Structures are given as C-alpha cells and as structure tokens.
C-alpha cells in the first residue's frame, strides 16, 4: 500500500480517537464551573453532589484524553519529519505556549479539584475548578491556532530552499491571529460545549427513564439543555463566519464541500443531493437559488470558484466532503431541536411523560461527537493536497525513511491499544452511571471523594 495513504490514515485514526475526550473535558469543565457557582450562591446540597459526580466523569475523560494525545506528538517525528522541520518554528511556538499557559495551569489546580472537597474552602475549590476549566480552554486555543496557521498562514517567511526550506515566524501575533484562527477557535469551543452538555443530558435522561436520582437528574439536565441551546445558537453565527473565511481564503475547499464543479455566479445552496463524480454534477438536488453566493460573499451575484480550476489529481474527495459537511449541519439541527423541546417540557414538568424523547436524549451523547469529527474531517481533508495551504504538499511533508510496512504495523498496534482504551472508558463510565451520585450522608465527608471510586474500579476494587 502507498505509504502516504497509510501515514495519513494513521494520523487520522489517532487524532479522531483522541478528539473524543478533550471535547468532553472542555465541555464538562464549563458545566462544573456553572454547577459550583450555583452551589456557592444557593448553598443547595444537590448542587454539591452534582459537582462531585460530574467531577468524577471529568476525571475519567481527562485521563483517557492525556493517554491518547501523547501518540500524535511522536508521529510528527516518525511519519512527518519533513513537515515538522518545515513548520517547527511555528508549531513549536504554539505547543510551547500550550505547555506554559495550559498544562501548568490545568495540572496545578487539578489535584485540588479532584481531592480538595473538604481540605480547602468552597471558594478556593471553585477557584481551582475555574482554573482547570480555563486551562482546558487554553489548550484548545493553542492547538487551534497552530492548525489554523496551516489553513491560512500568516506572520512568517520562508528560509532556505528545497528540502532545507522552512517557515520562520517574523510576527508572533500575526501568526496567532491569522485570518481563520479566532473564528475557528470559537467554532471548536462551541462544539466542545455541546459535547459536554449532551453527555450531561444523556446521563440525566437515563436517570429520568429509570426513575432514579430525580432531583439530581432534573437540575443537571436543565443546566445541560441551557448550555446546549446557547451553544447551538452561537454556533449558527460561528459556523457562518467560518464558512465565509473558507470562501475567501480556501475557495477550493468551499467548492469541494458544496460540490461546485464549475466556476459561476448566482450559485444555489444545495440542501442535499447525490454527488455524481463521473458527470461532475449533483443528482436529485434540493437547492435554494443564489443562496451559496449570498452566504459566501453577501451578494447573490457573487462568483464561486469551482473545481474546474483544479486538476483532478489535486482535488479532495468531493463526495465524502459533501456528505460529511451535511451530516455536521444536520446534527446541529437535531441538537437545536432537542434543546428547545427538552427545555420546554422540563419547564412544564412533564418531560418524564415523553419516554421516546428521553430515549433519544440518552443516545444524543453521540450527536456532537459525530458533528465534531465530521467537522474536523472537512477542515483537514478539504485542504488536500496541501498540508500547509499553498506552501507544503502532503506528499512532501512525509518522512523520507519511513516505509509502508512500518506504518501498517504501527496502525495495527495502535488500533488494538485504542480499542482496549475505548472499552475501558465505556466500562468505567458505565460503572459511574450505574452507581449514580453519592448520597449526602457519608461519602461527602471523604477528602478523597472526587476519585476514590474511580481508583477502586481501575485497580479492580469494584
């Protein structure tokens, strides 16, 4: 098999599996801050138990996220050493900033969040929760900044020629605030909030279906639904801005996402259809006239550059991108609808009467995950054949010494390890959900309450 395809597949496998967990940690971090702030204000012990319970879920997602994220850093050196040398000055600066501003902040207060329930005061514990939440968000900031530079490079110059060429930063802040970074960061963070919110909604719906922990479930679901609804509304604007940036700086990606094969004006927006790659058209298309031109450039007469300006060898997989993009948009509509209906019924106090809705909410935990993964697929695969848009091709970024057999064997090994980690995550999460939130009487007094059951389970104690 082709070593480039294998190396791309391996990185896609590792990053897509890893990405399941940081989005949950970031989203749950926000929800923990909200819950603890309500507890500080009201003194309601239900919110104290909620904070303890969701902290245990947060700890589980955080631990698996750290374990799965380390692999990608080694892949830069093994499979993509030419790329690493080319962007080392840029990417290294962003990763160093992540270590200073994110990991130190997050790890410095993590122990207080997990073990400090009765060892520090309420305000100090809330401050630790806030710092861990900010640390998780700072980590996302620098990763998205580095990735956005690959999409829309800025603040650099090229030093050297041929294989010795590399990008060097000449303006750090121009690199940080490159044309797509802040819009993409907003889009990503909102996706993380949705992932955390729907995990809370899913588990709360499960308890309502089982008629267990009802007060806990209703209050948790209310917070989850509010975060989800606000995130969905904001995501509508962030997604629109992100699409405008793509239209301006990456016209080939827009053409692939919308299957626009010919350059033309007054281009309709295709709601759905079947991509016919042989005849280069969309069959059975449901379209809104002129809307793509208007949404992209705020003019119904605007010209959209088509795939006819790109050689067929350099085109991304149009059909895959077209469908993935619509899966992401469709799931946004589903999540928005669930949030509105859920909040309405919860406010009326009748949500337990709609068991089909609750079952859908239990399954809804996967909706933001699929939307996040398809969104990243569109962002990364849409810039094909460039690994750094307009500067470095994917085939040129590969390590010169790595072989197909080496990459294939490591794919098999990582697939096995990740499968074990995934089943471990599901098992431990299921144990936490079945156990439920602690009652107020005994466990709340334990200074190690935040992780004691998780440690027991990982050690075989349960």
């Amino acid at each position: 098999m082709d070593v480039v395809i294998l190396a791309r597949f391996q990185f896609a496998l590792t990053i897509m599996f890893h990405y399941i967990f940081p989005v949950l940690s970031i989203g749950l971090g926000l929800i923990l801050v909200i819950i603890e702030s309500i507890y500080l204000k009201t003194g309601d012990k239900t919110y104290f138990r909620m904070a303890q319970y969701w902290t245990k879920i947060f700890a589980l997602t955080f631990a698996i996220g750290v374990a799965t994220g380390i692999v990608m850093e080694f892949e830069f050196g093994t499979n993509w050493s030419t790329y690493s040398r080319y962007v080392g000055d840029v990417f290294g600066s962003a990763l160093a900033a992540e270590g200073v501003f994110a990991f130190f902040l997050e790890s410095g207060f993590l122990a207080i969040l997990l073990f400090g329930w009765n060892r520090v005061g309420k305000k100090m514990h809330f401050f630790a929760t806030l710092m861990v939440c900010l640390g998780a968000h700072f980590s996302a900031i620098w990763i998205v900044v580095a990735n956005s530079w690959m999409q829309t490079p800025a603040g650099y110059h090229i030093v050297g020629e041929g294989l010795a060429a590399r990008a060097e930063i000449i303006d750090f802040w121009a690199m940080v605030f490159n044309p797509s970074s802040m819009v993409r960061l907003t889009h990503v963070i909102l996706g993380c909030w949705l992932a955390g919110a729907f995990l809370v909604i899913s588990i709360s719906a499960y308890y309502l279906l089982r008629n267990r922990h009802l007060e806990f479930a209703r209050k948790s679901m209310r917070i989850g639904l509010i975060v989800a609804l606000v995130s969905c509304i904001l995501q509508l604007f962030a997604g629109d801005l992100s699409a405008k940036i793509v239209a301006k700086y990456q016209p080939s990606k827009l053409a692939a996402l919308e299957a626009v094969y010919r350059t033309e004006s007054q281009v309709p927006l295709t709601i759905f259809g079947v991509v016919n790659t042989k005849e280069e058209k969309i069959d059975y298309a449901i379209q809104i006239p002129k809307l793509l031109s208007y949404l992209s450039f705020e003019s119904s007469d605007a010209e959209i550059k088509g795939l006819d300006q790109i050689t067929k060898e350099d085109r991304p997989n149009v059909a895959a991108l077209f469908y993935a993009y619509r899966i992401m948009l469709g799931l946004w509509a589903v999540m928005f609808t669930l949030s509105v209906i859920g909040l309405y019924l919860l406010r009326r106090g009748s949500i337990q009467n709609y068991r089909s809705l609750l079952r859908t909410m239990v399954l809804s935990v996967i909706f933001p995950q699929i939307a996040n993964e398809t969104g990243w697929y569109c962002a990364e695969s849409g810039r094909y054949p460039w690994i750094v848009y307009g500067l470095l091709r994917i085939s040129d970024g590969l390590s010169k010494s790595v072989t197909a057999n080496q990459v294939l064997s490591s794919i098999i090994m990582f697939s096995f390890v990740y499968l074990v980690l995934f089943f471990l995550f599901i098992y431990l999460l299921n144990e936490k959900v079945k156990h439920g939130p602690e009652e107020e009487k005994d466990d709340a007094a334990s200074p190690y309450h935040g992780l004691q059951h998780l440690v027991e389970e990982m050690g075989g104690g349960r």
Side-chain angles (χ1 to χ4, degrees), residues 32-137:
L32 285 174
V33 169
I34 294 172
I35 290 173
E36 283 207 51
S37 64
I38 296 174
Y39 171 62
L40 279 178
K41 183 177 180 180
T42 64
D44 188 338
K45 288 291 185 179
T46 301
Y47 289 101
F48 178 71
R49 300 202 309 275
M50 286 167 60
Q52 291 183 315
Y53 178 82
W54 294 115
T55 296
K56 289 184 283 184
I57 305 297
F58 171 87
L60 178 59
T61 62
F62 182 85
I64 301 294
V66 170
T68 57
I70 297 173
V71 176
M72 295 181 296
E73 298 178 6
F74 289 100
E75 284 183 54
F76 287 131
T78 56
N79 294 357
W80 302 98
S81 60
T82 304
Y83 159 79
S84 299
R85 182 168 55 249
Y86 188 87
V87 302
D89 189 63
V90 179
F91 222 88
S93 299
L95 291 181
E98 182 193 14
V100 172
F101 295 108
F103 286 157
F104 286 164
L105 181 63
E106 202 169 12
S107 59
F109 288 93
L110 187 62
I112 300 176
L113 169 64
L114 299 179
F115 303 113
W117 293 105
N118 292 292
R119 293 190 166 190
V120 298
K122 297 177 183 178
K123 293 183 179 179
M124 182 60 203
H125 192 277
F126 171 74
F127 180 73
T129 303
L130 182 62
M131 291 300 102
V132 170
C133 176
L134 287 176
H137 283 70

Side-chain angles (χ1 to χ4, degrees), residues 256-274:
L257 292 172
E258 299 293 346
V260 179
Y261 282 98
R262 280 164 288 281
T263 301
E264 56 186 352
S265 303
Q266 300 181 355
V267 181
L269 177 69
T270 303
I271 305 301
F272 195 75
V274 178

Side-chain angles (χ1 to χ4, degrees), residues 21 24-25 28 54-66 114 421 424-432 450-451 454 457-458:
F21 306 102
L24 292 174
S25 298
L28 285 175
W54 294 115
T55 296
K56 289 184 283 184
I57 305 297
F58 171 87
L60 178 59
T61 62
F62 182 85
I64 301 294
V66 170
L114 299 179
L421 283 174
L424 176 64
F425 171 73
I426 295 299
Y427 170 76
L428 293 175
L429 180 62
N430 184 60
E431 289 295 304
K432 288 288 128 194
L451 266 186
L454 178 60
E457 289 167 12
M458 295 184 73

Side-chain angles (χ1 to χ4, degrees), residues 1 30 50 53 150 154 166 189 215 226 255 298 310 313 346 348 388:
M1 294 182 67
L30 173 67
M50 286 167 60
Y53 178 82
M150 295 161 60
R166 60 191 180 90
I189 291 296
E215 184 182 13
I226 291 172
E298 297 183 351
I310 306 171
E313 294 76 19
L346 194 64
R348 286 182 54 189
V388 180

Side-chain angles (χ1 to χ4, degrees), residues 19 184 187-188 190-191 194 198 232 235-236 238-243 246 253-254 257-258 271-272 319-336 366-380:
Y19 196 56
R184 295 182 75 243
H187 197 45
V188 168
L190 290 171
L194 283 169
F198 274 95
C232 279
Q235 196 68 284
L236 184 65
D240 177 62
L241 290 174
S242 183
V246 169
K253 180 188 289 188
L254 177 67
L257 292 172
E258 299 293 346
I271 305 301
F272 195 75
L321 286 167
F322 180 86
Y323 297 130
Y325 189 54
R326 277 145 187 82
I327 288 171
M328 180 186 70
L329 295 175
L331 286 171
W332 172 86
V334 172
M335 289 185 287
F336 177 75
I366 66 172
F367 296 165
Q369 292 288 355
I370 296 173
N372 284 327
E373 298 285 1
T374 52
W376 270 108
Y377 171 79
C378 291
E380 298 301 283

